[in-house]
Amino acid sequence: MPIRVQNDLPVKEILESENIFVMDEHRAMHQDIRPIKIGLLNLMPLKEDTELQILRSLSNTPLQVDVTFVMVSGHVSKNTPTSHLNKFYCKFNEIKERKFDGFIITGAPVEQMLFEDVDYWEELKEIMEWSKTHVTSTLHLCWGAQAAMYYHYGIDKVQMDHKVFGVFWHKVLNRKIPLVRGFDDVFLAPHSRHTEIPLNLVRKDERLTILAESDEAGLFLAMAQAGRQIFVMGHPEYDRVTLDQEYKRDLGKGLLIQMPVNYYTDDNPESRPLLTWRATANNLYTNWLNYYVYQVTPYDLDGTPF
């Protein structure tokens, strides 16, 4: 499928080198088709890495996808050049009158803080409330999923006694639900977090449906409102080397960090990490776009109330 991006977005060249069909603005203007409009609220510090990971994940569908990068106003990014943000990102107040077919809220490295202590929490609450009336389906990732569970359903995250770090086995539940169509009975997916949403509290809430969980890593995938809200507690979009970079970064800082599990061949951190979750990640994003965005969203997006 063509991913529509701005002509000079830096990660465009990388995507093209991977044979991912990327369409620039000029070519997109000459196609008689309404693209699926996806907003990406990127809360990760290394924004260009996340752009690449998410765009790659959205690429396995015949639909044309028009991605708008969004940032919060109440936080200054220290790891992404201001020039990049000014050129390729919109602030929320610049897009809040628009409607989107789909919206993605990423994780953020603030999971050990109280939600209320995060400097952009009030703005994020406004965005999550806005998504209920301006977005067909919202996909929340890792800390973004924890924040949404807390805001929408009052289920708070809890601190774990160890970091869930590595690639973990999960089992599929509710197989008839289209979001997990094509999944194997068990599958691998990456996690990197110190907190979790208690499974027992999610099970008790009849508004929430659990689709996949892990004996070691806990909740992985849940949904609400027939797919208008989807929660992913791990990082299926991660690249092959993302956990490797996190591990070696923390080692370099002298932090106590265990080796990521089920990741390196023979648990040798000098070996090339195994990529064992890409097919599942592609399946998840394709199912989301197909069953919960494309087949649900109205053609006249701006003129149809949600």
Side-chain angles (χ1 to χ4, degrees), residues 217-287:
L219 178 64
F220 176 73
L221 182 62
M223 63 183 282
Q225 296 188 6
R228 293 205 57 191
Q229 295 171 337
I230 293 171
F231 312 91
V232 184
M233 295 298 164
H235 282 287
E237 78 284 356
Y238 267 7
D239 291 337
R240 178 192 302 272
V241 297
T242 307
L243 292 175
D244 176 69
Q245 292 169 342
E246 289 185 14
Y247 176 57
K248 291 173 180 174
R249 176 201 65 199
D250 289 352
L251 283 179
K253 292 180 179 179
L255 301 176
L256 273 177
I257 179 70
Q258 75 270 23
M259 184 183 300
V261 302
N262 299 325
Y263 184 54
Y264 297 115
T265 302
D266 299 324
D267 282 338
N268 176 8
E270 300 307 313
S271 66
R272 189 170 189 241
L274 293 174
L275 181 58
T276 56
W277 61 91
R278 178 63 57 77
T280 297
N282 289 344
N283 204 358
L284 174 63
Y285 278 89
T286 300
N287 286 346

Side-chain angles (χ1 to χ4, degrees), residues 4 23-35 64:
R4 177 178 169 180
M23 179 182 294
D24 63 27
E25 297 164 306
H26 175 76
R27 183 172 179 182
M29 288 174 61
H30 292 82
Q31 286 208 330
D32 186 18
I33 187 174
R34 183 177 88 71
Q64 183 188 132

Side-chain angles (χ1 to χ4, degrees), residues 6-24:
Q6 289 174 260
N7 297 358
D8 48 357
L9 183 73
V11 301
K12 179 174 180 283
E13 184 176 342
I14 300 174
L15 292 166
E16 289 174 331
S17 72
E18 298 177 4
N19 292 321
I20 292 173
F21 185 7
V22 183
M23 179 182 294
D24 63 27

Side-chain angles (χ1 to χ4, degrees), residues 155 173 196-205 210 212-215 217-220:
I155 302 176
L173 310 175
E196 67 174 349
I197 293 293
L199 258 173
N200 64 313
L201 297 183
V202 179
R203 289 192 182 106
K204 288 179 181 178
D205 195 319
I210 299 173
E213 62 183 47
S214 168
D215 292 338
L219 178 64
F220 176 73

Side-chain angles (χ1 to χ4, degrees), residues 7-167:
N7 297 358
D8 48 357
L9 183 73
V11 301
K12 179 174 180 283
E13 184 176 342
I14 300 174
L15 292 166
E16 289 174 331
S17 72
E18 298 177 4
N19 292 321
I20 292 173
F21 185 7
V22 183
M23 179 182 294
D24 63 27
E25 297 164 306
H26 175 76
R27 183 172 179 182
M29 288 174 61
H30 292 82
Q31 286 208 330
D32 186 18
I33 187 174
R34 183 177 88 71
I36 297 297
K37 296 184 180 298
I38 302 294
L40 171 61
L41 178 63
N42 191 350
L43 301 174
M44 295 293 280
L46 300 175
K47 298 194 185 303
E48 292 182 73
D49 288 354
T50 303
E51 293 163 15
L52 177 60
Q53 292 168 6
I54 297 296
L55 291 176
R56 185 187 286 126
S57 297
L58 293 173
S59 69
N60 290 282
T61 167
L63 305 172
Q64 183 188 132
V65 176
D66 184 355
V67 179
T68 299
F69 298 122
V70 183
M71 63 181 179
V72 292
S73 305
H75 179 78
V76 177
S77 178
K78 300 176 182 177
N79 298 282
T80 302
T82 302
S83 59
H84 182 86
L85 297 174
N86 289 340
K87 187 170 187 178
F88 298 109
Y89 278 73
C90 301
K91 293 182 179 179
F92 172 64
N93 61 12
E94 296 172 333
I95 59 97
K96 66 181 182 180
E97 300 304 320
R98 293 167 54 185
K99 290 184 176 179
F100 288 85
D101 300 296
F103 202 78
I104 300 171
I105 299 177
T106 73
V110 293
E111 57 166 328
Q112 298 192 74
M113 300 172 61
L114 296 174
F115 290 116
E116 291 81 3
D117 290 342
V118 175
D119 58 7
Y120 50 81
W121 177 243
E122 291 302 317
E123 185 175 4
L124 182 57
K125 288 198 303 181
E126 182 184 358
I127 293 170
M128 291 189 290
E129 186 64 27
W130 164 89
S131 73
K132 291 159 62 174
T133 55
H134 288 73
V135 179
T136 301
S137 178
T138 303
L139 183 68
H140 310 81
L141 303 176
C142 202
W143 181 83
Q146 295 183 348
M149 283 275 191
Y150 180 60
Y151 176 74
H152 293 297
Y153 300 100
I155 302 176
D156 203 352
K157 58 184 170 63
V158 296
Q159 184 78 27
M160 303 181 70
D161 59 6
H162 66 286
K163 184 177 183 179
V164 176
F165 188 47
V167 183

